Amino acid sequence: MAIDVNSEDGLIIRKLIPLGTLPCAQFSALCENTVIEGTRGGTLFKKGDTDPRLIYLLSGEVTLQAEGLIIEVIAAESEAARFALAHQIPRKIDAVANGVVRFLRLDADTVNNPTPLDYKEDNSYMVIEEPEDDPNDWMTALLKSPVFQRLPPANLQKILITLEEVCFDEGETIISQGDVGDYYYLIKSGYCLVSRKPSPNAKDIKLAQLGKGEAFGEDALLSGAPRNVTITALTNMVLLRLDEQHFSSLIKEPSLKFIDQAQMQEVLNQGAILLDVRSQDDYKAGHLPGTINAPFFSLRMQLKTLNREQPVVVVCDNGKVSEAAAFLLLRHRFNALILKGGMNGSAAKPEVKKVPESEHETAHFVIDDGIETLISSVDESRPQNRQEQSGQILSAADSGAPEDQLRLMKSENEALRRANLQLNDKCLKLEVEKEEVLRQYRILQKQMEKLTQMLGKAKGDQGVL
């Protein structure tokens, strides 16, 4: 009998790993062609069995044992039951039903080779929905992450086994800017604040607020650089952390994709974007033709300017910062590729475009408030300055003094560069302030709704009296 995707069994199957990442149509087809089996006691499989079908427990308990020694008891309500029971083929242990159990037998190809993540915006793609009556289901929220959707089921299982639970009190600092990277963190419950100091004596700039199912801490592990932000607990928090070694082998290696120079040229010919994530000064000193400069520290603010329809090839000096940038892009559903070894790598030594100071290319990124970060004037609020400087250059040219002309052009270019940096910084701060205002607005809106409900209830009580 076919399984109704909206039935209680269908909702349970949605949470099985990695079935919850299947497209809606494929998930529905699987339910239509799958039969739920049941048994009262007995053996589900024995050590040495080679049946390639994998077994998922839906209800009841199963004991995993070897030569009479109990290894583990799996209950259908446990997190372990989201994975296939002892999935290695041939079987290494026995699985014995404890009383009445219900289970699925599924083809291993369906389970281990789910459809790759589609990077197009499609709200109907994911079939996982967080139930309203299960607010603490952090794993469901975690599996919505595009990074975790790319991981093999075996890696997901190893991650959950390896994760270490740690707790932090409200106001406690979880990681500090400048620290050495040691762990990758997943939020099981609670909220935290991401902030950064542009300079040691500057005030903290609030960048984001993170909650259940979100992750942080990968930048330092990928780039090898110190922590670039501070994370502070806004509430009491429960976190799950993974050390650097396991992060690299279980998440980084299967997630990131590297290409050489020849492959890069091929994808560029097909319409990919070439993104240089080095600082503006390094970019100006030399860069690949056709690149867009988006320094890694500000990339989060510029994601909305990129097109998810186009692959993004990430470039830096040695590939390390590119790894962190590509991981960020993957988290936001971009198809990110990394130039192997970076611009200085032995595997790819592309011809670097050196440009005169007056001809530097700069990215044209548009922030949400409509202000373009590249402004072609020194100070738009004082147009007379631009006219005066332009007049000086024209005068120098007319007078036949090329050295004066070059000096004035360099002077104006440097002034433009400084103004552009200042405007970039201002736009970033405005974006952060906007996010904070929106957050406060949402909080006030919820409080207003509660007050309205309380007022309505009070009026109703008075009417009864």
Side-chain angles (χ1 to χ4, degrees):
M1 181 178 178
I3 302 170
D4 182 356
V5 295
N6 295 316
S7 66
E8 183 177 350
D9 287 330
L11 294 176
I12 293 174
I13 296 172
R14 286 187 181 193
K15 293 186 178 183
L16 300 181
I17 297 172
L19 302 184
T21 62
L22 293 174
C24 293
Q26 189 172 341
F27 181 78
S28 298
L30 180 143
C31 290
E32 289 177 3
N33 295 287
T34 301
V35 176
I36 297 177
E37 301 181 44
T39 184
R40 183 184 295 274
T43 302
L44 301 184
F45 56 78
K46 292 185 178 181
K47 180 180 179 181
D49 284 353
T50 57
D51 185 342
R53 292 177 298 171
L54 303 180
I55 294 179
Y56 284 89
L57 181 63
L58 299 183
S59 64
E61 286 186 349
V62 170
T63 297
L64 303 180
Q65 59 188 36
E67 299 179 355
L69 178 64
I70 296 177
I71 297 175
E72 187 177 6
V73 177
I74 305 293
E77 299 80 14
S78 67
E79 293 179 355
R82 293 192 172 190
F83 297 91
L85 297 175
H87 61 277
Q88 298 90 346
I89 305 295
R91 305 293 185 181
K92 303 295 189 296
I93 54 179
D94 303 331
V96 180
N98 298 339
V100 178
V101 300
R102 297 166 67 248
F103 59 93
L104 298 177
R105 294 185 195 269
L106 298 176
D107 182 75
D109 285 338
T110 301
V111 176
N112 293 322
N113 299 299
T115 302
L117 177 65
D118 186 352
Y119 286 93
K120 294 181 180 180
E121 289 292 334
D122 183 359
N123 294 331
S124 66
Y125 182 82
M126 289 299 301
V127 298
I128 291 181
E129 295 179 1
E130 187 171 348
E132 293 183 1
D133 58 348
D134 193 11
N136 294 318
D137 193 357
W138 62 273
M139 189 184 295
T140 299
L142 182 67
L143 289 174
K144 294 179 182 179
S145 166
V147 171
F148 283 84
Q149 290 174 357
R150 299 169 70 95
L151 300 180
N155 285 44
L156 290 171
Q157 189 166 15
K158 290 177 183 177
I159 289 170
L160 294 180
I161 293 173
T162 308
L163 286 170
E164 175 189 5
E165 184 171 297
V166 290
C167 299
F168 290 87
D169 296 329
E170 179 182 349
E172 192 172 354
T173 299
I174 302 169
I175 63 175
S176 297
Q177 184 176 340
D179 286 353
V180 175
D182 48 4
Y183 289 99
Y184 175 63
Y185 292 90
L186 308 171
I187 302 176
K188 187 173 183 180
S189 66
Y191 292 90
C192 60
L193 176 68
V194 183
S195 62
R196 172 180 170 82
K197 284 188 175 183
S199 62
N201 297 324
K203 292 183 178 180
D204 280 330
I205 297 177
K206 298 177 181 178
L207 298 177
Q209 180 176 305
L210 305 178
K212 179 184 64 179
E214 296 187 276
F216 60 87
E218 72 276 4
D219 290 355
L221 301 184
L222 291 166
S223 66
R227 299 286 193 191
N228 56 13
V229 296
T230 295
I231 308 288
T232 308
L234 293 175
T235 65
N236 292 339
M237 299 191 70
V238 179
L239 302 178
L240 300 164
R241 67 184 186 182
L242 196 66
D243 63 42
E244 183 176 6
Q245 180 181 352
H246 286 100
F247 171 79
S248 178
S249 61
L250 298 177
I251 299 179
K252 169 188 169 181
E253 292 176 7
S255 297
L256 301 182
K257 294 182 179 180
F258 296 83
I259 58 175
D260 57 27
Q261 185 182 1
Q263 293 169 321
M264 178 186 72
Q265 192 58 52
E266 183 178 345
V267 296
L268 290 178
N269 292 339
Q270 297 172 358
I273 300 170
L274 189 56
L275 195 68
D276 191 322
V277 294
R278 298 174 302 154
S279 69
Q280 289 185 336
D281 289 339
D282 289 339
Y283 178 80
K284 288 181 178 180
H287 58 268
L288 296 173
T291 51
I292 295 174
N293 183 217
F296 177 62
F297 78 89
S298 63
L299 182 57
R300 286 176 177 82
M301 301 296 182
Q302 300 171 349
L303 291 176
K304 292 181 181 180
T305 69
L306 301 176
N307 186 355
R308 287 187 176 87
E309 300 283 340
Q310 298 173 281
V312 180
V313 180
V314 189
V315 180
C316 70
D317 284 328
N318 56 16
K320 299 301 292 181
V321 177
S322 293
E323 292 182 10
F327 199 86
L328 174 64
L329 290 167
L330 290 174
R331 283 172 51 189
H332 289 83
R333 301 183 183 276
F334 287 89
N335 183 3
L337 306 168
I338 302 167
L339 179 60
K340 189 183 302 181
M343 294 173 61
N344 300 332
S346 58
K349 293 183 178 179
E351 180 182 352
V352 177
K353 181 178 180 181
K354 300 285 186 177
V355 293
E357 187 71 20
S358 60
E359 298 179 6
H360 288 315
E361 299 175 16
T362 309
H364 291 244
F365 286 109
V366 180
I367 307 300
D368 289 346
D369 57 9
I371 301 174
E372 190 174 288
T373 61
L374 177 62
I375 307 297
S376 59
S377 66
V378 178
D379 185 349
E380 290 290 354
S381 65
R382 297 179 63 191
Q384 65 273 17
N385 286 353
R386 182 174 54 180
Q387 295 170 358
E388 290 171 2
Q389 292 186 7
S390 298
Q392 291 173 357
I393 291 177
L394 290 172
S395 176
D398 292 339
S399 65
E403 290 136 358
D404 291 341
Q405 178 185 1
L406 181 61
R407 187 179 68 256
L408 288 172
M409 289 178 67
K410 286 185 176 181
S411 175
E412 184 186 51
N413 186 72
E414 180 60 25
L416 286 169
R417 188 184 73 84
R418 287 197 301 269
N420 189 43
L421 289 173
Q422 292 172 357
L423 287 168
N424 274 335
D425 186 57
K426 184 176 181 180
C427 286
L428 290 175
K429 290 179 180 179
L430 288 172
E431 182 71 13
V432 172
E433 291 174 2
K434 185 184 78 172
E435 291 297 328
E436 178 64 19
V437 169
L438 289 174
R439 189 180 72 84
Q440 293 292 340
Y441 169 75
R442 287 192 291 267
I443 292 174
L444 290 173
Q445 190 177 38
K446 289 181 180 180
Q447 291 176 346
M448 180 63 71
E449 290 174 357
K450 290 181 180 180
L451 289 172
T452 303
Q453 292 173 359
M454 293 172 62
L455 181 60
K457 184 178 178 181
K459 288 180 177 180
D461 292 341
Q462 289 178 358
V464 172
L465 293 175

